[in-house]
Amino acid sequence: MDNCSVDNGEDLAVHAGNKKIPQHVAIIMDGNGRWAQLQGKGRVSGHKAGVESVRAVVASARKSNVKALTLFAFSSENWQRPVKEVGVLMDLFMYVLTKEVKRLHKHNIRFQVIGDLSRFSEKLQKNITKSEQLTAENTGLVLSIAANYGGRWDIAQAAKKLAFKVQQGSMKLDDIDELTLNEQTCLADLPTLDLLIRTGGDFRISNFLMWQAAYAELYFTDILWPDFKEAQFEQALNCFDQRERRFGKTGEQARNEEV
Ligand code: IPE
Ligand code: IPE
Ligand code: MG
């Protein structure tokens, strides 16, 4: 089940010609642990299986011409998990960085990590910087991985940067507004977030992109992350295509602007 007004892809085929494609999609990749438990395995195997879904969704996003894909891999709250699970997630992160980034580079993907990286090991931080540098000039899909990321942290660090500018005298207090604060948040250089997907059946943001999701379309599905592949991503895009985005205007105004 998902919260789409249409429940299957078939009757959407007519829209295929001029489908509305979100420029920026973000995903809360949830449900790895439950997926593993359903298979009678430990939670770790769910995280490992989840990497395959990341590959599938990246491929699908490229194919659909999505410009930016942002994936929630580890929240600032996830440190509270058992030490062993955190360790496995860090190892997996390291593995993906070493093994997958070359492939991303080959596909012209710009890779970056957002979040408070200072809490990661020095080795992991170096690996992140190396991966970001390798792909920095790429012009295709921008893939952002949110790690030790929190939406509240993002807003607080942006506020701190502005406060510093005012303190230094390079900015006036009156120049602080939504635009200047936005410039200091993560992902400010990317298209506005259009679609936020959460897998795993829960209906919450879990401190993800709170600022950026202000006018994003929200898509919740029961599908557990390791089962979310190209077809499921396309279903979410089809659902987005059906949404009427009004941005405060009337439906009539919005529809007139669309044509
Ligand atoms: C999401 O899956 C991955 C991370 C949060 C790192 P979970 O590990 O939260 O899976 P569930 O929600 O327990 O099934
Ligand atoms: C959100 O999932 C974080 C990631 C997917 C990385 P959680 O499983 O940590 O979310 P809660 O704790 O159920 O809200
Ligand atoms: Mg979870």
Side-chain angles (χ1 to χ4, degrees):
M1 267 301 287
D2 63 36
N3 64 322
C4 198
S5 53
V6 282
D7 55 12
N8 70 65
E10 280 171 47
D11 46 342
L12 300 174
V14 283
H15 297 280
N18 51 0
K19 209 165 102 174
K20 197 162 69 198
I21 297 291
Q23 291 208 72
H24 186 171
V25 181
I27 310 181
I28 301 174
M29 310 184 288
D30 198 21
N32 293 350
R34 278 164 285 163
W35 182 89
Q37 274 153 7
L38 283 172
Q39 316 258 317
K41 297 180 189 157
R43 298 179 53 82
V44 166
S45 78
H47 297 314
K48 287 185 179 155
V51 177
E52 196 47 55
S53 295
V54 172
R55 285 192 198 107
V57 164
V58 168
S60 193
R62 286 181 62 230
K63 220 186 285 172
S64 304
N65 219 8
V66 167
K67 304 272 178 277
L69 179 67
T70 302
L71 304 177
F72 204 9
F74 192 85
S75 76
S76 45
E77 288 73 30
N78 287 144
W79 294 106
Q80 299 173 70
R81 293 193 175 199
V83 176
K84 215 175 124 203
E85 183 169 340
V86 172
V88 167
L89 287 167
M90 293 301 139
D91 290 349
L92 207 56
F93 199 15
M94 197 73 182
Y95 170 83
V96 170
L97 283 175
T98 17
K99 296 272 173 214
E100 302 283 328
V101 171
K102 278 191 202 111
R103 191 157 40 162
L104 298 179
H105 186 46
K106 211 174 79 192
H107 287 128
N108 195 25
I109 294 171
R110 175 152 73 87
F111 173 84
Q112 62 176 3
V113 180
I114 59 164
D116 180 3
L117 303 186
S118 66
R119 198 160 163 190
F120 292 125
S121 72
E122 214 170 288
K123 201 168 154 205
L124 190 50
Q125 288 187 48
K126 270 193 191 141
N127 217 335
I128 289 170
T129 310
K130 213 172 91 185
S131 306
E132 288 180 339
Q133 282 170 351
L134 175 72
T135 64
E137 305 298 323
N138 290 345
T139 53
L141 177 76
V142 182
L143 174 64
S144 308
I145 301 292
N148 193 22
Y149 177 89
R152 290 175 176 169
W153 164 84
D154 195 357
I155 297 166
Q157 66 82 30
K160 197 170 170 182
K161 281 184 188 154
L162 291 184
F164 182 71
K165 281 175 188 276
V166 173
Q167 192 184 41
Q168 297 293 298
S170 61
M171 187 177 185
K172 291 198 290 287
L173 184 64
D174 277 350
D175 289 337
I176 296 183
D177 57 18
E178 289 177 26
L179 274 179
T180 50
L181 187 102
N182 185 58
E183 279 167 13
Q184 303 301 329
T185 56
C186 296
L187 311 177
D189 59 327
L190 299 180
T192 311
L193 183 62
D194 290 316
L195 174 63
L196 175 61
I197 298 171
R198 180 175 189 135
T199 64
D202 284 307
F203 301 102
R204 53 176 175 262
I205 305 285
S206 297
N207 197 16
F208 194 27
L209 301 164
M210 306 215 314
W211 174 273
Q212 296 84 346
Y215 246 116
E217 295 297 322
L218 307 179
Y219 178 84
F220 297 100
T221 171
D222 283 341
I223 297 167
L224 304 171
W225 177 247
D227 291 327
F228 194 90
K229 297 278 165 53
E230 297 208 14
Q232 289 73 24
F233 185 70
E234 276 165 31
Q235 178 67 27
L237 296 190
N238 286 338
C239 181
F240 176 81
D241 180 45
Q242 296 298 297
R243 302 281 178 90
E244 184 176 82
R245 307 191 79 194
R246 294 190 284 273
F247 297 102
K249 296 178 183 170
T250 67
E252 199 181 13
Q253 285 176 306
R255 284 188 294 276
N256 284 341
E257 273 173 20
E258 233 172 55
V259 273

